[in-house]
Amino acid sequence: MESIARNQLTVAQVQHLEDANQNPLTGKSWPQDHEGILQGRRRLPVYGRYQEILDNYHQSQVMILSSETGSGKSTQVPQLLVYDEYESGLQIACTQPRRLAATELASRVAEEMGVNLGEEVGYKIGGDHNVNQNKKKTRLAYMTEGVLLRQLRSDKLLSAYACVIIDEAHERTVDLDLLLALLKKVISRRKDFKVVIMSATMDTKLFQEYFDNCPLVHFPGLKFEVKTFYTAPEETGPDFVTLAAATVVHIHKNQEPGDILVFLPGENEIEKVCSMVRRNAKDLDVFPLYSSLPSGDQRLALDSSGPNRKCVVSTNIAETSLTIANVVYVIDTGLSRQLVYNPRLRLNMLEVRLISQASAKQRMGRAGRTKNGVCYRLYSKAVYDSMAPSTEPGIHCASIDSVVLNLVASGYRKLIDFDWLDAPHPESLARAAQHLQDWELLKDDGSLTRSGRLASKCPLDPIWYRAIEIGAKFGCSLDILDIALLCSSQKSIFIRPAGYRQAADLARTAFADPLSDHLTLANAFNTYMRVRQLNDQKNRPKIDLERWCTRHFLNMRALEEIDIKRGEMGASLEDTCKITPGRTSITDTTSVRKVLAIAFCTHTAIYRSGDTYRTVHENTPALLSPHSSLVGGNYEWIVYTAFQTSGRRQYLETATAINAEWLVDLPFFQDSRLPTTGDRLLRQENVKRSLDRARARI
DNA sequence: TTGTGGTGT
């Protein structure tokens, strides 16, 4: 393949470009503050390593840059490569695991390069692209990993790009693992294409081996020293909440000024620590921080700076996603809630577990961003040594239905032999393939059905795409789309603020459908949409939507996001998937429940006693979620959206009561598919009896 | 007798 002529630059040449009178990217003079910005950039730890980086970049198709946070690599390396690749006329992509990082880095780097955001430097995140329409003009695009994966589907050679920089590779998202595997293919087919992997120091060996022992450049990150103290084993114990609160009070009373950041597993522990600290420390501003906190309260924790010392008590959200300025003291409990996946049961377990050493270092680093800091680890050195070196890759932590579907759609068949960075659990793979067949998205020979091909292009879990298709047959595809988005959205539309839990739960009953949590979600959403539409009519008093939402304990931002998404997706489902739009939920909720029964036939449970059910195909006991509107209904058959543990109990999340008659004709419910023991006896006799009674009723 | 970390197309 013909290689594109390269102008391999030296550091001196790059500096010359940066020091020139005119901006080489725009041909115009630099903005006024250019000189100051340039001096700041040249003080970053990465700056002294430019030649080494360029030399390796020129010699190898893949290289790894490792350094801890604070080195400036996320902002500086892309700029360096923009100049180096300028002659190719192609773009540089830099991927990020999170949307916020992609947009913020883009705007900072646009400023540093003296260009307008969205011209030479831009970003692409799902549903929001801010790059120049003229592809030749854009030189650097920050994007989420998911966006680049999506582009790979339509352009397998990534022909618009000279180089892809993968940032935060150590976070090991599912998208990252997929992306690296697919980029490996691009590398072998395009000799002019390069990949730079940027990671914290922990995983570099794994990446190096994966990419044929490619070169590695390491440079220091932290600019400031963080002193670390461990806790003596006899002082640690199960009551890390009290210990954390006491440590805050101790620092506040005895240590130099400087803000405090505490890491805890979740909301409950955070609110406890906050109230203990408030009781025992004066002149200290205490803020909780976690993702379900309303964004106004989050801003308070991030932005506020008054005369008092500040203490932020946070989940992992402050480890990577949000940065709190001026933290000097970090208190690390060594714990976080982590999603643990059981592939056999397809069960999600949210468990409090020991963090990894990589995560502990990341937490520690939060203390040394602006000056020297101190990190108090509320565990012993022996416990630290026992921690896993790095955090479990995402591909081991969740179901991989959509991963399998997407790889098959990209032309891969034998996924057990796929060149994984870390292979998923074989049972995960087998279960995913089996379910995709049960949902009629994969054929027996492992190829895609027509529905499977369309589902692979749909930004929803495959099971939801199939539900929408079935919905079309029952005239309610739009209802199912709404429900799919409501169930898939990161933020719940129902809010339960601390101190108002009961009031919030009571408010929710106003929307409750006694037979279906899915329809309860749809009712709340539809009610909001009707109230909003009333505001559009003339000669009516306007309703304050924010206040209306607050009064009904609804999250208006979540509702608005769903409205935007359903508009976009509704149109594309109709255009490309030929799905007939239809809505019945107002007059005919039975159709919606029927569709859910058929689509979620792999997720059924049968009644036992109390609020206890038993999942049919995994044969496992579970409770209705305490919030479910089905509680007390004792319905014989239900379908559920997710199966998860919290604490010691297993819950079925978002359930709908169904009739056995709706199941009996499905292939999945023929006698041969019911789970049996080793002796071929049915595991649950009552399942067969109930199905037989239903067949007799038809 | 009931309860939850963080992401993304």
Side-chain angles (χ1 to χ4, degrees):
Chain A
M1 183 174 288
E2 197 177 276
S3 107
I4 292 173
R6 269 166 198 277
N7 182 11
Q8 303 198 334
L9 296 185
T10 63
V11 172
Q13 287 170 311
V14 172
Q15 283 173 358
H16 186 74
L17 288 169
E18 289 172 343
D19 289 328
N21 290 329
Q22 287 188 333
N23 186 339
L25 291 183
T26 59
K28 297 175 191 159
S29 53
W30 292 100
Q32 268 194 334
D33 48 354
H34 173 64
E35 192 57 31
I37 288 173
L38 200 54
Q39 295 315 317
R41 289 173 54 199
R42 289 179 174 173
R43 281 194 292 272
L44 290 164
V46 63
Y47 183 71
R49 313 302 286 269
Y50 276 10
Q51 193 61 57
E52 197 181 342
I53 293 169
L54 282 175
D55 288 346
N56 281 287
Y57 183 76
H58 294 150
Q59 280 159 23
S60 172
Q61 261 189 289
V62 188
M63 70 179 292
I64 295 166
L65 295 180
S66 93
S67 92
E68 308 288 343
T69 46
S71 66
K73 64 181 186 302
S74 306
T75 51
Q76 304 309 306
V77 173
Q79 297 186 51
L80 184 63
L81 298 186
V82 163
Y83 287 133
D84 194 63
E85 292 284 3
Y86 192 81
E87 288 296 320
S88 75
L90 299 176
Q91 299 178 30
I92 308 289
C94 180
T95 68
Q96 297 292 324
R98 283 169 292 281
R99 299 160 59 105
L100 190 66
T103 55
E104 291 198 337
L105 281 166
S107 94
R108 227 172 78 203
V109 169
E111 194 191 352
E112 289 189 3
M113 298 196 92
V115 303
N116 293 325
L117 179 64
E119 300 289 327
E120 288 81 3
V121 177
Y123 64 81
K124 298 177 186 177
I125 59 176
D128 182 12
H129 287 200
N130 188 1
V131 291
N132 196 279
Q133 290 305 309
N134 174 4
K135 283 185 180 169
K136 290 275 178 214
K137 192 166 187 187
T138 301
R139 292 297 170 160
L140 170 61
Y142 284 90
M143 59 188 74
T144 53
E145 292 162 348
V147 165
L148 189 62
L149 268 181
R150 188 45 60 116
Q151 289 188 9
L152 262 163
R153 296 289 296 280
S154 52
D155 178 7
K156 286 192 175 6
L157 291 175
L158 288 179
S159 51
Y161 300 100
C163 169
V164 170
I165 304 167
I166 306 282
D167 202 5
E168 312 282 11
H170 56 277
E171 290 193 24
R172 293 299 302 280
T173 59
V174 176
D175 282 352
L176 172 95
D177 281 23
L178 269 178
L179 205 46
L180 291 186
L182 299 175
L183 288 177
K184 227 174 154 171
K185 300 280 173 198
V186 181
I187 287 163
S188 66
R189 293 168 65 190
R190 252 187 76 191
K191 292 300 167 200
D192 65 319
F193 177 74
K194 301 212 169 191
V195 173
V196 176
I197 298 163
M198 306 205 290
S199 169
T201 40
M202 302 308 291
D203 290 297
T204 48
K205 226 189 157 89
L206 180 74
F207 293 129
Q208 256 187 305
E209 282 167 10
Y210 190 61
F211 284 101
D212 205 17
N213 293 314
C214 64
L216 165 72
V217 176
H218 173 77
F219 44 92
L222 288 179
K223 287 194 292 179
F224 301 97
E225 191 195 332
V226 181
K227 217 183 249 175
T228 304
F229 295 106
Y230 291 96
T231 308
E234 62 272 18
E235 287 173 29
T236 64
D239 190 8
F240 59 88
V241 166
T242 307
L243 187 57
T247 311
V248 172
V249 174
H250 173 82
I251 292 170
H252 184 53
K253 288 188 176 159
N254 299 291
Q255 303 287 330
E256 301 286 302
D259 293 346
I260 306 170
L261 171 61
V262 190
F263 285 103
L264 285 157
E267 178 178 347
N268 200 349
E269 295 92 343
I270 286 169
E271 295 294 349
K272 272 191 208 156
V273 168
C274 284
S275 68
M276 287 166 94
V277 170
R278 284 188 188 116
R279 271 202 306 276
N280 293 303
K282 282 178 186 157
D283 310 326
L284 179 64
D285 296 334
V286 183
F287 300 98
L289 182 63
Y290 42 86
S291 80
S292 62
L293 201 65
S295 59
D297 294 0
Q298 285 190 7
R299 287 252 71 88
L300 224 53
L302 296 177
D303 297 343
S304 68
S305 65
N308 292 337
R309 193 202 291 264
K310 180 165 88 171
C311 172
V312 176
V313 188
S314 172
T315 59
N316 256 1
I317 196 170
E319 194 181 299
T320 49
S321 306
L322 300 176
T323 303
I324 302 148
N326 305 318
V327 172
V328 173
Y329 304 95
V330 161
I331 300 170
D332 174 17
T333 56
L335 300 168
S336 72
R337 278 206 168 71
Q338 295 164 34
L339 195 65
V340 183
Y341 181 66
N342 178 331
R344 192 177 61 80
L345 299 178
R346 294 177 68 88
L347 168 70
N348 296 315
M349 297 180 284
L350 201 53
E351 287 191 343
V352 176
R353 290 202 168 185
L354 215 51
I355 59 173
S356 66
Q357 292 176 352
S359 181
K361 284 184 185 167
Q362 180 75 22
R363 289 179 174 189
M364 175 191 83
R366 294 281 148 173
R369 293 184 69 84
T370 43
K371 54 175 162 177
N372 291 344
V374 187
C375 174
Y376 295 85
R377 291 180 167 157
L378 303 185
Y379 44 90
S380 64
K381 179 72 165 63
V383 168
Y384 176 81
D385 290 336
S386 77
M387 290 172 170
S390 38
T391 308
E392 185 91 351
I395 202 146
H396 289 160
C397 305
S399 85
I400 52 167
D401 303 332
S402 60
V403 172
V404 169
L405 187 72
N406 284 318
L407 283 175
V408 174
S410 303
Y412 300 96
R413 284 292 186 82
K414 290 187 82 181
L415 296 185
I416 203 93
D417 302 327
F418 185 72
D419 186 12
W420 303 96
L421 188 55
D422 264 296
H425 194 286
E427 192 143 15
S428 265
L429 269 177
R431 294 260 159 178
Q434 180 63 60
H435 276 86
L436 290 168
Q437 279 182 26
D438 293 332
W439 301 329
E440 297 169 323
L441 302 174
L442 271 188
K443 295 180 199 161
D444 291 344
D445 68 1
S447 64
L448 290 179
T449 63
R450 177 183 177 273
S451 298
R453 207 166 38 254
L454 295 170
S456 77
K457 293 179 184 154
C458 173
L460 281 171
D461 273 344
I463 194 170
W464 278 117
Y465 175 79
R466 175 168 136 91
I468 293 167
E469 272 196 348
I470 296 167
K473 291 182 195 157
F474 287 80
C476 58
S477 61
L478 293 179
D479 295 309
I480 304 293
L481 172 60
D482 291 349
I483 291 170
L485 291 170
L486 286 159
C487 289
S488 313
S489 139
Q490 286 165 23
K491 288 202 165 184
S492 168
I493 61 164
F494 296 119
I495 46 176
R496 301 180 75 231
Y500 297 90
R501 297 273 153 85
Q502 284 186 320
D505 293 344
L506 192 67
R508 188 188 299 199
T509 60
F511 306 111
D513 182 308
L515 293 173
S516 170
D517 297 326
H518 297 93
L519 282 161
T520 300
L521 284 164
N523 284 342
F525 179 68
N526 289 333
T527 309
Y528 170 76
M529 292 308 295
R530 275 200 296 281
V531 171
R532 210 182 70 177
Q533 278 161 12
L534 285 179
N535 268 359
D536 295 339
Q537 293 177 10
K538 283 181 187 165
N539 307 322
R540 285 188 82 99
K542 294 281 174 269
I543 299 160
D544 183 334
L545 283 176
E546 299 243 14
R547 281 186 57 190
W548 186 88
C549 286
T550 311
R551 209 168 62 232
H552 292 85
F553 291 94
L554 293 173
N555 181 343
M556 186 165 150
R557 275 189 51 194
L559 290 160
E560 285 294 326
E561 264 172 40
I562 285 163
D563 183 45
I564 291 167
K565 276 193 186 157
R566 72 170 185 165
E568 294 165 358
M569 287 190 56
S572 89
L573 286 169
E574 194 177 345
D575 294 346
T576 54
C577 309
K578 307 295 172 212
I579 283 175
T580 318
R583 211 171 261 293
T584 71
S585 65
I586 308 295
T587 52
D588 171 20
T589 53
T590 307
S591 287
V592 173
R593 287 166 47 229
K594 250 182 221 178
V595 171
L596 291 171
I598 298 167
F600 281 79
C601 63
T602 47
H603 295 53
T604 56
I606 191 163
Y607 184 69
R608 303 298 279 201
S609 62
D611 285 319
T612 310
Y613 282 77
R614 203 166 180 93
T615 67
V616 171
H617 286 85
E618 291 84 8
N619 187 35
T620 308
L623 289 165
L624 283 174
S625 151
H627 293 315
S628 171
S629 55
L630 276 62
V631 165
N634 302 350
Y635 305 104
E636 189 183 19
W637 284 85
I638 62 170
V639 287
Y640 57 88
T641 303
F643 181 25
Q644 47 198 28
T645 59
S646 91
R648 265 195 237 140
R649 297 161 196 280
Q650 305 181 84
Y651 291 99
L652 302 171
E653 295 286 315
T654 324
T656 285
I658 58 167
N659 296 348
E661 286 89 329
W662 302 338
L663 301 172
V664 292
D665 288 334
L666 302 176
F668 199 59
F669 276 87
Q670 301 318 300
D671 287 355
S672 62
R673 294 296 305 272
L674 296 178
T676 52
T677 63
D679 309 326
R680 303 197 163 223
L681 295 171
L682 282 181
R683 286 204 184 267
Q684 297 186 64
E685 285 282 349
N686 60 325
V687 167
K688 181 167 163 46
R689 281 200 302 273
S690 173
L691 291 169
D692 287 342
R693 281 199 303 274
R695 285 188 182 101
R697 284 198 295 271
I698 292 175

